[in-house]
Amino acid sequence: QVQLVESGGDLVQPGGSLRLSCSTSGFTFSMFNMKWYRQTPGKEREFVAGILHTGHITKYADSVKGRFTISRDSVKRTVDLQMTYLEPEDTAVYFCNAVGPYSYSTHSYWGQGTQVTVSS
């Protein structure tokens, strides 16, 4: 059974930092590209960051470039999102997504999300 479980969401002040983690099981982690998305009420889910199955290539939305860093650990089967200089506009539910295998993208798995609130 495929499982993606996000953790680390919290209430944080503007300018603060937060680290999200996504623990996975039930699929061959090394064959899947991993991504983070976020969604706010009434809006479509938007791409935040992605990392290739090899871990060598990353991609970020312009809105988070330079502030967020995505990483993966193939031994722990986790993908993390380090978020710094958080802004109120970063408030959203953050979702972990696994897409693969490799570039075939025939399978896509989602976690249930973790809430990040940036507010003073």
Side-chain angles (χ1 to χ4, degrees), residues 59-112:
K59 185 176 180 180
Y60 299 91
D62 288 343
S63 59
V64 307
K65 205 170 291 183
R67 300 189 298 122
F68 291 10
T69 302
I70 188 171
S71 60
R72 62 188 292 159
D73 187 319
S74 294
V75 175
K76 296 180 180 178
R77 299 176 55 94
T78 58
V79 58
D80 290 356
L81 186 68
Q82 178 68 48
M83 306 186 294
T84 62
Y85 300 104
L86 283 161
E87 305 167 352
E89 293 73 24
D90 296 317
T91 296
V93 178
Y94 283 71
F95 296 90
C96 179
N97 173 235
V99 181
Y102 305 123
S103 62
Y104 298 108
S105 303
T106 55
H107 293 75
S108 179
Y109 308 120
W110 292 90
Q112 292 190 327

Side-chain angles (χ1 to χ4, degrees), residues 6 13 17 19 29-30 45 51 57 59 63 70 76-78 91 101 119:
E6 301 93 338
Q13 292 187 346
S17 299
R19 189 176 186 91
F29 184 75
S30 62
R45 195 168 295 186
I51 186 166
I57 297 176
K59 185 176 180 180
S63 59
I70 188 171
K76 296 180 180 178
R77 299 176 55 94
T78 58
T91 296
S119 176

